[in-house]
Amino acid sequence: MNLRTLTPLLVSLLTGAPAVALAQSAQKPATQAPSTVQGVAPLPGQPNLLASGVPEIPPELRRRVLQYLEARSANLMDVSQDGKQVLLSTRFADTNQLHVVEQPLGARSQLTFTPEPINTARFHPNDPNTLFFLQDVGGGEFFQVFRLDRRNGRSELLTDGKSRHEVLSLSDDGKWLAYGGTGRNGKDTDVYVAPTDNPKQARRLTEAEGTWYPGEFSRDGSKLLVTQFRAADDADLHVVDVKTGERRQLTPKEGKGSINGAVLTPDGKSVYVVTDRYSDFSELYKLELDKAPSTSAPPSLTKSLRWNVEGIALSQDGKTLAVDVNEDGYSRLYLLDTKRGTLSPVEVPRGVMANFVFPQGRSDVLAYAISTSKSPADVYLLDLRTKKSTRWTRSEVGGLDTDTFVEPELVHYKSTDNVQVPAFLYMPRERKGKVPVVVIFHGGPEGQSRPYLSTFTQYLAVELGMAVLVPNVRGSDGYGKAFRAMDDGVKREQSLADIGATLDYIASRPELDASRVGVDGGSYGGYMVLATAAFFPERIRAAVDVVGISSLPTFLQNTQAYRRDLRRAEYGDERDPEVRKVQERISPLNSVERIKAALFVQQGANDPRVPQSEAEQIVKAVRARGADVWYLLALDEGHGFGKKANKDTITMATFLFLEKHLGAPAGTPGGSGK
């Protein structure tokens, strides 16, 4: 039996979920061929990976890469009410599963054992033996809500098995569970609430067009904060009465801005909110509920900080607010004394904070997870009295000596329109002459490349001797809303100039070989990869497109209905003839005759964001010109690769591809100069 057919059945056996219902969200009709690309065939021993044009991985490469593929991280999900148990998502086998740690550097006790990854989970506030978590099938992102009873190890499906659900919120008193779901019409995301003692009896708390997410409950569970999300730069905050459903908007109806965090004060009369509505950067404000909405800007509590506030957490007693600030890509943690309004920085490892949370029954300790350029995400507990952190997890990196890893250099270079592009440059320690360069574009487009550990990047720098340049082109988050908006709609055409500026920067550095440049990126980063190949064809040799967009109009037409309007807000509406004209002009598919670089396309068959058709149309178009293209299709993955066996093979194939095309200067043995 094909593993693709087994997956829903295994989920059913291991979680108690109805296999048929779960299968509906992940599988194509049985009569539909898995690919329209000729020559695709399963890899030996991996029937869920279809390949075309991809050579066999040499054993020596497999041996070199093996340790880098064994790195794992400890992703903080939650902390128990008494602060004595930390809930993690981490991988010891094929996928991320839930684990609990009960003391500093203690054993990670595995709680779930399913073939599909779990990356969102919460403790029941009053009962740490009960957990709620989200899980999908095959990467399709049609997440379902489950309840796990740690006493017997069994999980129960709480939702319909076919709609898409996201975000979990639990009231402090443990009575209410909230989440977002598309059950009403498959397109709009409503907020659902359910009593935790009977969670299958959920009811819609909001019922409106668009995307609505639950936030934090008030301490007494009577109110729920709800975010109405239209785009990264356009969201509103509401407060809803849990019993009656009465909803009141707290942010002004005029203008727009982001919502990056919100929490009610213990008395339920005020809300701390993070927004860029009143400034170029996301700042922290306090709104009085009985005076909201107000058209006048409230005083900023983080005015002294130039950078974006990314998240907040409030202690149980309401006296301390933890504030995470993104300073040029690096996380800085501050503690706000809510009575005095004073901010105090806290020393944490220099890296990127992934999550942080106060235990619901304590105010003296904060749990946080952070990754650095040399270490995976690990969990620490900060004692607010001493300001000292205690490490609770130490994640493995395949036994590698992380002292050999490369720290990035933060650089900036000029593009058109006086735009300064920030980037992280990883240089190999040992080099003779000029070194090849791999440029990695992030997705989003409103994402941000940051200095957390990437064993992919470290392998390129340490083992292959390649430089890695990771830019944040205009449109990236983290540098103010004006910078983020520079690529919206038809302005995306101007953003392509940042590709040229990146290549110019490489040429300006004498230690970098501008004749040996490759590009890599996923999702929108995949679009940037294809755009580089199509619009700067003479300047790169190799392009790795991971779940990328090849045509903006067809992407918008075929992405899942629940997210189409959200993407139109970013890319422009393809139904507008003038907008579509620009989209067609900057779509790589329409300039495929210009592509000269070697191309490697990677795709998940269940991708709800960038559908498989985006990958296959560019593969077929390039091959129609007689050019060679490597193509890998994962039948049990979606927007990226979450299963270790798949990810390992795809990563090794990528290293093989880049080494083949960038590994030696043109004209030398093994070189691939044109």
Side-chain angles (χ1 to χ4, degrees):
M1 186 180 290
N2 189 293
L3 289 177
R4 182 172 169 75
T5 306
L6 272 176
T7 297
L9 177 59
L10 287 171
V11 173
S12 172
L13 293 173
L14 293 168
T15 67
V20 174
L22 285 172
Q24 290 174 349
S25 67
Q27 290 188 294
K28 295 185 172 73
T31 56
Q32 184 174 331
S35 175
T36 62
V37 173
Q38 291 186 348
V40 295
L43 292 178
Q46 290 185 268
N48 277 354
L49 275 185
L50 305 186
S52 175
V54 181
E56 185 178 353
I57 307 297
E60 58 272 20
L61 173 61
R62 192 177 296 272
R63 286 192 295 270
R64 288 166 66 192
V65 178
L66 183 62
Q67 285 180 282
Y68 287 84
L69 302 177
E70 292 304 322
R72 55 175 141 253
S73 58
N75 306 299
L76 176 63
M77 300 288 99
D78 202 359
V79 61
S80 62
Q81 190 177 56
D82 59 7
K84 295 181 178 180
Q85 297 184 57
V86 170
L87 183 63
L88 312 172
S89 172
T90 192
R91 180 194 58 75
F92 276 89
D94 190 46
T95 60
N96 280 359
Q97 295 296 306
L98 297 181
H99 296 69
V100 69
V101 177
E102 297 182 329
Q103 63 183 18
L105 300 182
R108 303 184 196 185
S109 300
Q110 190 163 340
L111 305 178
T112 57
F113 301 83
T114 74
E116 303 290 346
I118 302 174
N119 292 305
T120 301
R122 296 286 302 273
F123 279 120
H124 186 295
N126 300 331
D127 179 13
N129 285 316
T130 300
L131 307 176
F132 296 90
F133 66 89
L134 293 173
Q135 188 178 43
D136 71 343
V137 173
E141 298 187 14
F142 280 77
F143 298 99
Q144 304 303 315
V145 182
F146 294 84
R147 178 174 59 185
L148 169 67
D149 187 340
R150 291 172 60 188
R151 287 167 282 255
N152 58 27
R154 294 185 178 275
S155 297
E156 179 185 11
L157 176 67
L158 303 179
T159 42
D160 61 12
K162 58 184 179 180
S163 304
R164 184 177 192 269
H165 305 86
E166 52 191 326
V167 186
L168 291 178
S169 183
L170 285 140
S171 60
D172 280 18
D173 59 14
K175 293 181 179 180
W176 295 104
L177 166 70
Y179 52 84
T182 61
R184 178 164 55 89
N185 59 15
K187 175 179 177 292
D188 299 310
T189 300
D190 300 312
V191 174
Y192 290 77
V193 293
T196 54
D197 60 359
N198 193 6
K200 289 188 178 181
Q201 297 302 311
R203 58 184 172 86
R204 282 192 291 273
L205 192 63
T206 67
E207 189 170 314
E209 184 179 5
T211 302
W212 300 72
Y213 295 130
E216 298 291 328
F217 283 91
S218 60
R219 293 289 166 83
D220 62 4
S222 66
K223 304 184 189 76
L224 177 67
L225 294 175
V226 170
T227 298
Q228 180 184 10
F229 184 86
R230 288 178 289 268
D233 64 345
D234 188 9
D236 279 304
L237 185 66
H238 301 251
V239 63
V240 183
D241 186 291
V242 173
K243 288 186 178 180
T244 67
E246 180 186 357
R247 184 175 77 240
R248 185 158 64 89
Q249 185 167 327
L250 301 178
T251 47
K253 298 182 184 298
E254 304 80 11
K256 65 179 184 178
S258 64
I259 300 292
N260 292 328
V263 59
L264 287 158
T265 54
D267 61 10
K269 296 180 179 180
S270 305
V271 59
Y272 292 104
V273 59
V274 177
T275 179
D276 61 10
R277 178 180 288 270
Y278 310 108
S279 167
D280 188 41
F281 288 94
S282 292
E283 299 185 30
L284 174 65
Y285 303 90
K286 185 178 182 182
L287 306 179
E288 306 297 330
L289 264 61
D290 61 357
K291 298 179 181 178
S294 172
T295 55
S296 59
S300 169
L301 301 177
T302 54
K303 188 176 182 180
S304 60
L305 305 177
R306 174 179 176 269
W307 300 95
N308 274 349
V309 174
E310 289 197 308
I312 54 174
L314 185 63
S315 62
Q316 183 68 18
D317 60 13
K319 295 179 180 179
T320 305
L321 195 70
V323 181
D324 175 24
V325 178
N326 176 353
E327 297 187 1
D328 222 346
Y330 290 93
S331 292
R332 289 292 306 275
L333 179 64
Y334 293 84
L335 298 178
L336 176 73
D337 183 319
T338 58
K339 184 177 181 179
R340 296 182 178 86
T342 54
L343 276 170
S344 303
V346 178
E347 185 176 343
V348 298
R350 190 168 190 256
V352 181
M353 193 164 290
N355 193 14
F356 58 103
V357 59
F358 280 100
Q360 289 183 313
R362 295 179 60 180
S363 299
D364 61 331
V365 66
L366 175 76
Y368 67 90
I370 199 163
S371 172
T372 75
S373 58
K374 288 188 174 185
S375 62
D378 270 316
V379 176
Y380 297 77
L381 261 63
L382 172 70
D383 187 319
L384 268 64
R385 295 164 297 188
T386 65
K387 305 298 188 293
K388 300 295 184 183
S389 293
T390 301
R391 189 169 191 162
W392 271 57
T393 66
R394 190 181 302 277
S395 296
E396 303 84 354
V397 194
L400 292 166
D401 179 4
T402 57
D403 286 341
T404 65
F405 286 180
V406 177
E407 291 271 7
E409 175 191 358
L410 177 59
V411 300
H412 298 80
Y413 47 88
K414 190 175 181 179
S415 184
T416 57
D417 308 315
N418 290 317
V419 170
Q420 288 288 324
V421 178
F424 292 96
L425 176 62
Y426 296 78
M427 289 294 297
R429 294 180 186 276
E430 299 179 10
R431 52 186 184 269
K432 294 180 180 179
K434 294 189 173 188
V435 297
V437 186
V438 177
V439 179
I440 301 178
F441 292 107
H442 67 68
E446 318 96 322
Q448 183 186 15
S449 293
R450 302 184 67 181
Y452 49 76
L453 176 66
S454 164
T455 53
F456 179 86
T457 295
Q458 294 296 341
Y459 184 87
L460 290 174
V462 176
E463 301 291 340
L464 297 186
M466 297 180 181
V468 180
L469 184 63
V470 190
N472 284 304
V473 298
R474 72 186 78 183
S476 301
D477 201 8
Y479 306 97
K481 65 183 181 184
F483 190 86
R484 187 182 59 208
M486 285 182 178
D487 68 344
D488 289 354
V490 296
K491 291 186 289 185
R492 193 159 311 280
E493 189 165 22
Q494 290 97 284
S495 75
L496 298 182
D498 293 355
I499 298 174
T502 300
L503 298 172
D504 289 343
Y505 174 76
I506 291 171
S508 74
R509 297 275 301 231
E511 66 270 54
L512 303 181
D513 189 346
S515 70
R516 290 188 292 160
V517 176
V519 288
D520 179 284
S523 190
Y524 179 73
Y527 164 78
M528 292 293 281
V529 163
L530 294 174
T532 305
F535 305 125
F536 300 87
E538 306 291 342
R539 304 185 70 177
I540 66 165
R541 285 196 191 177
V544 182
D545 162 30
V546 185
V547 297
I549 300 166
S550 58
S551 166
L552 292 169
T554 60
F555 154 68
L556 290 167
Q557 290 164 7
N558 296 323
T559 193
Q560 281 281 342
Y562 69 82
R563 63 190 312 276
R564 189 172 295 125
D565 288 342
L566 300 178
R567 294 298 80 199
R568 283 172 173 155
E570 171 68 28
Y571 293 101
D573 193 331
E574 83 286 359
R575 297 167 298 183
D576 183 321
E578 292 304 312
V579 172
R580 190 182 185 105
K581 188 184 300 182
V582 176
Q583 292 175 341
E584 297 281 8
R585 186 163 62 238
I586 64 175
S587 290
L589 185 66
N590 297 333
S591 295
V592 72
E593 72 284 350
R594 301 178 62 185
I595 295 177
K596 296 182 179 181
L599 181 61
F600 187 6
V601 177
Q602 304 166 6
Q603 181 66 37
N606 303 319
D607 192 338
R609 306 187 192 195
V610 181
Q612 182 181 334
S613 54
E614 289 297 305
E616 303 210 335
Q617 63 190 8
I618 195 71
V619 170
K620 291 186 288 186
V622 174
R623 283 187 174 174
R625 297 177 47 247
D628 181 35
V629 181
W630 295 14
Y631 181 48
L632 263 174
L633 175 68
L635 296 179
D636 56 345
E637 301 277 14
H639 197 63
F641 309 106
K643 297 181 172 65
K644 187 177 187 301
N646 295 337
K647 190 173 182 179
D648 287 358
T649 298
I650 290 166
T651 301
M652 287 187 284
T654 303
F655 290 144
L656 181 65
F657 177 81
L658 292 172
E659 191 168 23
K660 173 184 177 181
H661 294 287
L662 306 180
T668 63
S672 57
K674 293 181 172 65

